[in-house]
Amino acid sequence: MKDEQERPVEGRVRWRRFAAVCVPGFAVTGVLAVALAEGALAASFAVSGQQFKVSADRLTGDGFVQYGSVDVNARDQLLPVAVTGIRTARMESLCQSVVTTLPVLGDISLKLSAGTGDKPVEATDLFVDATQLSGDASFENIEIGRDASTLDKGPDGAQGMQDAFSQQADTLEISDLKQTAWATNAGTFKLADLSMKITKGKRECF
């Protein structure tokens, strides 16, 4: 009898340890489900672990909206962003850069440039999920403080969560644009005079 009592029980689940491991995962899944249901997620793909920088001498656009949202990376981490949606956009002297740090090699920079005054970069249904934006901006017929779920001037589907803050305008113009972003996507993206370079060290747009 004593041997039988001391014999370890096979197949026993330690529920406290199981819960400690699984509850955070369930919580993230729940947050993602709510975000999906309420239209809170921005990019339709898992974003990388690196933000990139974008600059332009001048950006003009028709059908502008902006609202808060979240991106998700491959680790299911939620990343707060300000989504800028533009129905049609034109950019002069566009620059995009990202820096990757590799073992042994150190910093490696990828830098892209395109567009001139005569041949600007053109995009339709443009979305930028940014964490920082600066420049000299002007808007026509702007609405500030509109419910994000009722936006109607930007690209199709460019709306945020109900009761959340947003703004929209018929047109916008930003000179000396500088922004840092997790993601960009567009219906069409035409890059005139495209040039891409990969170099060692940090070679960023700003």
Side-chain angles (χ1 to χ4, degrees), residues 173-195:
E173 179 177 338
I174 304 177
S175 58
D176 194 23
L177 170 69
K178 294 181 176 66
Q179 65 182 359
T180 305
W182 284 111
T184 297
N185 59 281
T188 62
F189 206 46
K190 299 179 181 179
L191 299 130
D193 297 325
L194 172 65
S195 174

Side-chain angles (χ1 to χ4, degrees), residues 122-136:
E122 297 179 349
T124 61
D125 296 332
L126 176 67
F127 290 85
V128 180
D129 302 349
T131 57
Q132 176 272 332
L133 184 150
S134 65
D136 298 319

